[in-house]
Amino acid sequence: MRQLKIVIVMLSIFTLAACSSMPRTKWTDKNMRVFVDPDSIDAENYVRIQQALVQSHKFVVIDRATSFEAIKKEQERLHRTQVDRFEDRQKFALYGKLLGVGAIVVAHAQCENKSSWWNSTNNHLVCQQFLSMVDANTGEVFLAVEGENSGPVIASMPYVVPDWKDTVEKLLDEYPKEFEQRSASKTLLEYEEVAKENAIRQKEIVNERKPAGE
């Protein structure tokens, strides 16, 4: 019996150690379920960034641009505007059942058209590429990287947006590989208690000012 208890204790210690060093993957880390903010970058770069994120196989990538609008239209069509046109068993786009994300990828690009000093027709679009990851719960910018890429500019056709693969790769290189336990300092905990008490008092003051019945 004593030996069994020792084994159980050892297994518990091993399990705790394994959990504390659990690697971050798209299946264990909610912040690796992402979408690219479509308002932070133009459509051409949006497509390139989303493609690079998907092809890395490291993120669960959710669309919040054209495809997102198409999904909403499909849900409306199935459940609101044309309910009798489709078999109930075939209404797979469940109304109001879209899943959210853990983090948002915010992108920005600063581009300059450059030409070679020996050949003014040899133009390239050189872009500084910036990617930030923002926690969807706290708003914390927990990761930010910068990269550079270029693409040819051809007079007979619109410029082709440089790809974002290297910058996404840099994002992955700097992404924390394992979960870390963060312990707050005594000073911070004391400050949080003071802030909590102050917030409660402010709520009481606001509630006292509200007219009866609200």
Side-chain angles (χ1 to χ4, degrees), residues 45-198:
N45 278 291
Y46 178 92
V47 171
R48 285 282 203 173
I49 298 166
Q50 185 167 266
Q51 178 193 40
L53 289 170
V54 171
Q55 290 184 344
S56 73
H57 302 294
K58 300 295 184 181
F59 295 95
V60 176
V61 184
I62 309 301
D63 187 87
R64 284 293 186 267
T66 306
S67 297
F68 179 62
E69 295 302 320
I71 290 171
K72 291 196 295 182
K73 288 179 181 178
E74 176 67 1
Q75 289 188 340
E76 288 288 327
R77 184 182 297 116
L78 293 179
H79 300 282
R80 291 295 182 89
T81 61
Q82 300 179 32
V83 293
D84 296 329
R85 192 174 293 274
F86 301 92
E87 289 287 341
D88 288 342
R89 289 181 178 271
Q90 297 298 315
K91 295 178 180 179
F92 298 123
L94 302 180
Y95 195 83
K97 296 297 182 181
L98 286 173
L99 301 179
V101 299
I104 300 162
V105 177
V106 181
H108 182 65
Q110 296 176 350
C111 300
E112 182 181 1
N113 195 344
K114 292 186 176 181
S115 60
S116 304
W117 63 269
W118 66 86
N119 186 357
S120 60
T121 61
N122 184 19
N123 294 333
H124 277 72
L125 190 74
V126 180
C127 294
Q128 295 296 119
Q129 301 172 331
F130 303 88
L131 288 177
S132 300
M133 293 191 70
V134 182
D135 190 296
N137 298 95
T138 65
E140 175 192 2
V141 180
F142 63 89
L143 194 59
V145 298
E146 176 184 352
E148 181 180 299
N149 207 342
S150 63
V153 178
I154 304 172
S156 60
M157 62 177 291
Y159 78 90
V160 177
V161 172
D163 71 62
W164 286 71
K165 291 181 180 179
D166 291 344
T167 307
V168 166
E169 190 65 34
K170 186 176 290 187
L171 191 76
L172 285 168
D173 288 341
E174 296 194 17
Y175 198 93
K177 299 300 184 289
E178 296 183 349
F179 291 96
E180 297 179 2
Q181 296 292 334
R182 296 182 181 180
S183 56
S185 67
K186 181 180 178 181
T187 303
L188 178 58
L189 292 174
E190 291 174 351
Y191 181 82
E192 287 179 345
E193 287 302 315
V194 172
K196 179 181 177 181
E197 292 175 5
N198 182 66

Side-chain angles (χ1 to χ4, degrees), residues 204-211:
E204 291 173 349
I205 292 171
V206 171
N207 289 330
E208 289 173 359
R209 292 175 179 171
K210 285 183 178 180

